Amino acid sequence: LPRTYGVDDFPIVVQDRRFLANGSFVFGPFGDSVLVNGTPRPYLECPAQVVRLRLLNGSNARIYPLGFEDDRPFAVIASDGGLLNAPVTMDRIPLSNGERAEILLDLTGMEGDSLLLMSYGSELPATVPGSSYILWESSALSGIDFPVLRIRVTTPTASPVTAVPATLGTAQPYDESLATNTRMKILSGTGMVGMGMFYINGQMFDLNVINDTIALGAMEVWTIENISNMAHPFHIHGGSFFVLDRDGAAPPAWERGAKDVVLVDAGESVRVIMRFDDYTTDGWPFMYHCHNLLHEDNMMMAQYIVV
């Protein structure tokens, strides 16, 4: 795999921001400018070979369906918690807040050319922040397709990677039959992206309340059911999980690796399995919460300890 930082292996942190006249950020769910690694009007020089882009959605609320302007395919090789077992060929990768994915992009033969990484917001359903839904806070970027990053293709390196490997990692989802406990996490509430209140199991965050106590070594299945009016990226601290199913159907191939963020749409139920084998906390809790920053900050969060 490409692994030379800044040469054929690049972090790509995507954020939307609004600015005051003095350059300060305006806090809110959506921005009208796109930054990559903190840079406005960003471009990246990549050699004409296979390059690795480590994508992260660092936005407060906006969700990105990322792809390239010519719909060219790319290989998804990793998710939040590490490598997939084999590359997955796609032309779109949806990333919710805090969610990560690594892709391989083949630029062989494109020296001197360029292409755009795009967000295809016009493809988002109304329940997903970043769509054109009328109740979301107004933003010039909502519900439209817009450029995220220009890639300028340069001379290949001396020892270029020119092929996508057929196999990658060896991670195996946990056997559900070995689960020692199940838990239900119901996401509820009604509101807009930056307004209204949302809950986990009907409760808001309380620093003095431990919501779950989990035995060291336990393997648990959590059902995350969203009965609210919008999608929520659900994030568990302290380890990685595997997605078992979405509304009873197997997850897409790119979502079958180790993860710690999963987007749960309105009306959807997602089951994940997680093993708590290395995470003793000595009484200090880990959190789980919605990764939409406005929801998290408005107490859509709970905490657990491992004993």
Side-chain angles (χ1 to χ4, degrees):
L1 293 174
R3 62 182 74 244
T4 304
Y5 177 83
V7 176
D8 60 4
D9 184 352
F10 306 94
I12 306 292
V13 183
V14 183
Q15 297 173 306
D16 61 326
R17 288 288 183 259
R18 282 188 292 151
F19 295 90
L20 296 173
N22 66 3
S24 298
F25 288 145
V26 177
F27 181 74
F30 296 129
D32 52 18
S33 299
V34 179
L35 308 181
V36 172
N37 297 359
T39 303
R41 297 179 297 279
Y43 69 90
L44 175 67
E45 293 184 344
C46 293
Q49 59 200 60
V50 175
V51 297
R52 181 180 190 170
L53 305 181
R54 302 179 186 241
L55 304 170
L56 161 64
N57 179 353
S59 295
N60 292 356
R62 188 179 303 280
I63 294 172
Y64 300 96
L66 296 174
F68 293 94
E69 59 181 328
D70 56 359
D71 291 332
R72 69 176 54 223
F74 50 84
V76 181
I77 61 167
S79 55
D80 308 326
L83 291 173
L84 303 178
N85 291 345
V88 180
T89 301
M90 301 176 69
D91 60 17
R92 295 285 189 277
I93 180 74
L95 287 185
S96 62
N97 314 102
E99 197 169 14
R100 289 90 71 203
E102 296 183 23
I103 68 171
L104 296 185
L105 177 65
D106 191 351
L107 300 174
T108 303
M110 289 187 62
E111 183 177 350
D113 203 349
S114 71
L115 72 158
L116 286 171
L117 176 66
M118 300 284 295
S119 176
Y120 289 93
S122 66
E123 299 175 1
L124 290 172
T127 50
V128 175
S131 72
S132 58
Y133 186 44
I134 194 171
L135 288 183
W136 297 158
E137 179 180 297
S138 176
S139 166
L141 299 178
S142 292
I144 66 168
D145 305 338
F146 56 86
V148 171
L149 173 70
R150 180 168 292 281
I151 295 176
R152 299 175 179 174
V153 187
T154 62
T155 305
T157 62
S159 302
V161 174
T162 58
V164 176
T167 59
L168 297 165
T170 58
Q172 294 297 321
Y174 304 127
D175 186 344
E176 185 181 349
S177 68
L178 301 178
T180 53
N181 195 26
T182 60
R183 299 178 194 262
M184 175 71 74
K185 304 300 173 187
I186 297 176
L187 314 182
S188 63
T190 302
M192 300 196 296
V193 176
M195 298 175 61
M197 301 307 298
F198 295 94
Y199 309 90
I200 300 175
N201 286 355
Q203 297 177 307
M204 299 173 66
F205 180 67
D206 185 336
L207 187 65
N208 298 310
V209 172
I210 300 299
N211 303 92
D212 300 274
T213 300
I214 299 171
L216 178 65
M219 187 180 299
E220 298 200 352
V221 173
W222 289 18
T223 299
I224 308 153
E225 183 175 349
N226 186 356
I227 62 172
S228 79
N229 68 329
M230 64 178 292
H232 296 281
F234 190 83
H235 174 48
I236 304 176
H237 286 227
S240 294
F241 55 74
F242 289 90
V243 179
L244 288 174
D245 50 57
R246 290 181 168 274
D247 289 334
W254 69 270
E255 209 174 34
R256 296 180 188 177
K259 293 186 60 59
D260 56 53
V261 181
V262 62
L263 184 65
V264 185
D265 204 353
E268 189 176 32
S269 180
V270 175
R271 293 193 315 139
V272 303
I273 188 167
M274 184 167 172
R275 189 170 64 198
F276 301 84
D277 54 356
D278 292 315
Y279 303 108
T280 52
T281 55
D282 195 28
W284 295 99
F286 286 118
M287 298 175 290
Y288 56 91
H289 54 85
C290 176
H291 230 304
N292 181 314
L293 188 63
L294 285 301
H295 298 172
E296 173 185 344
D297 283 358
N298 280 311
M299 307 302 174
M300 191 180 181
M301 182 161 60
Q303 53 188 355
Y304 74 90
I305 58 172
V306 177
V307 297

